[in-house]
Amino acid sequence: MNTLSISNLSKTYPNGVEALKGVSIEINNGLFGLLGPNGAGKSSLMRTIATLQKPDSGSVILNQINVEEHPQYIRKSLGYLPQEFGVYPTMTAEILLDHFAVLKGISDRKTRKERVDYLLDQTNLFQHRKKKLGGFSGGMKQRFGIAQALLANPSLIIVDEPTAGLDPTERNRFHNLLSELGQEAIVILSTHFVDDVKELCTNMAILNSGELLWKGSPQQAINEIEGRVFSRQITRNQIHDYKEEYSVIAEQLFQGKPLIYIYSESDPGQGFLPVEPDLNHVFFNKVHS
């Protein structure tokens, strides 16, 4: 069992932005969802864990090893798929993955070929191994990114906004792959897509403006707001007044008219009806409260 302990992690950039404010989380094997809007500090946290930047204070401990003191340990133990994963469009998947394997220190040619072939098969890319990456779809590029992240058989895998731009079929295939990886490693899924966390993760944290707002299981989060979410349909010119009077956590159009969702400790009356809460309601309530 792998364990990642993040303790009181803080980071302020030279422009004064406090990207992380005393964040503490403990994560074990399986899929862990790091949920937050754009600018919440998710990428700053991921970059700090990956030793791409140093924190101002706090620590990151992977399997009892301090990663700031021993950066080579985590670099050998880490598979990292950033939000923007660049590929060389004129190279084939097979050749580029072999090149990455050399950079990862897999020097024996036979061992390297076996590892490359295995990962291309695992990511359902073996039949495309001779194809240039410039002709890959978005989902295929993401799966190639996972293949390169797995070259060193990592105990910690970080994927940053992995399903952005994927069609439903590719997204489902990618989810299945991540679920398999979580059997043997810590997989941190950093995203602002609530559905990714709801469908995949047994534990999660919500981050906003560098602060940790909540941590636990998705079901625990939903249970906490049971009986406290209500909705009603209103007219467009009423939106401002309702936002002034109630804690509006979400709004959407239904048959062309605004449908608002509010958080309330008791039944607000006024035509509001109780709603079965889901993780989206949790997310919006935590972020906007």
Side-chain angles (χ1 to χ4, degrees):
M1 174 68 72
N2 300 290
T3 301
L4 178 69
S5 298
I6 300 163
S7 301
N8 298 314
L9 213 59
S10 294
K11 178 67 178 180
T12 300
Y13 292 117
N15 63 2
V17 172
E18 289 185 90
L20 299 171
K21 304 173 185 176
V23 174
S24 296
I25 314 171
E26 184 148 319
I27 307 172
N28 298 314
N29 277 19
L31 271 87
F32 184 92
L34 185 62
L35 193 59
N38 291 328
K42 303 187 303 297
S43 292
S44 292
L45 181 57
M46 299 300 96
R47 288 176 58 81
T48 305
I49 294 170
T51 71
L52 296 176
Q53 65 183 21
K54 290 187 176 182
D56 297 329
S57 60
S59 63
V60 178
I61 309 292
L62 177 62
N63 297 332
Q64 302 183 343
I65 304 293
N66 187 303
V67 306
E68 189 175 359
E69 295 173 2
H70 303 279
Q72 288 306 117
Y73 171 74
I74 195 162
R75 289 169 189 168
K76 289 180 179 178
S77 306
L78 175 69
Y80 187 36
L81 177 58
Q83 185 173 353
E84 295 294 332
F85 175 68
V87 295
Y88 296 85
T90 60
M91 296 182 72
T92 67
E94 185 178 52
I95 290 174
L96 186 55
L97 200 59
D98 181 76
H99 175 66
F100 283 143
V102 172
L103 296 178
K104 285 283 189 179
I106 307 174
S107 55
D108 180 75
R109 181 175 293 181
K110 182 175 181 292
T111 302
R112 202 164 63 239
K113 177 171 172 44
E114 289 174 353
R115 185 67 180 161
V116 166
D117 287 351
Y118 170 75
L119 288 173
L120 288 171
D121 183 62
Q122 284 292 99
T123 53
N124 200 29
L125 290 172
F126 189 78
Q127 68 272 34
H128 304 292
R129 66 192 183 281
K130 305 292 185 184
K131 185 175 182 179
K132 292 180 180 179
L133 284 121
F136 275 23
S137 68
M140 291 167 70
K141 287 177 182 176
Q142 288 288 62
R143 283 185 277 131
F144 181 83
I146 281 289
Q148 65 81 26
L150 297 178
L151 279 166
N153 199 25
S155 53
L156 170 63
I157 301 163
I158 294 172
V159 285
D160 194 358
E161 300 289 1
T163 61
L166 299 189
D167 65 39
T169 301
E170 286 284 14
R171 182 172 170 270
N172 187 58
R173 183 180 289 139
F174 198 75
H175 279 184
N176 290 336
L177 178 59
L178 291 176
S179 295
E180 291 175 18
L181 298 177
Q183 301 297 315
E184 302 294 333
I186 297 169
V187 180
I188 301 178
L189 179 65
S190 173
T191 184
H192 67 278
F193 290 108
V194 176
D195 286 346
D196 285 353
V197 174
K198 180 174 65 177
E199 293 170 18
L200 287 171
C201 301
T202 52
N203 282 291
M204 58 172 279
I206 298 176
L207 197 68
N208 193 34
S209 300
E211 293 187 73
L212 184 67
L213 303 182
W214 196 89
K215 56 185 175 180
S217 75
Q219 191 57 54
Q220 285 174 329
I222 292 168
N223 290 346
E224 282 190 7
I225 64 169
E226 184 74 43
R228 298 173 184 176
V229 180
F230 302 84
S231 74
R232 69 159 293 179
Q233 200 161 29
I234 61 174
T235 61
R236 292 178 188 275
N237 59 9
Q238 292 176 306
I239 291 178
H240 177 76
D241 291 340
Y242 274 88
K243 285 184 175 180
E244 288 286 318
E245 186 173 354
Y246 299 100
S247 176
V248 177
I249 59 174
E251 56 184 277
Q252 66 184 69
L253 288 177
F254 179 71
Q255 296 180 346
K257 293 182 180 179
L259 181 67
I260 61 170
Y261 295 85
I262 68 167
Y263 177 87
S264 177
E265 295 288 336
S266 59
D267 190 336
Q270 303 299 317
F272 281 98
L273 298 174
V275 173
E276 191 68 29
D278 63 22
L279 201 56
N280 280 288
H281 299 133
V282 172
F283 176 66
F284 288 124
N285 183 50
K286 294 292 184 186
V287 169
H288 297 305
S289 62

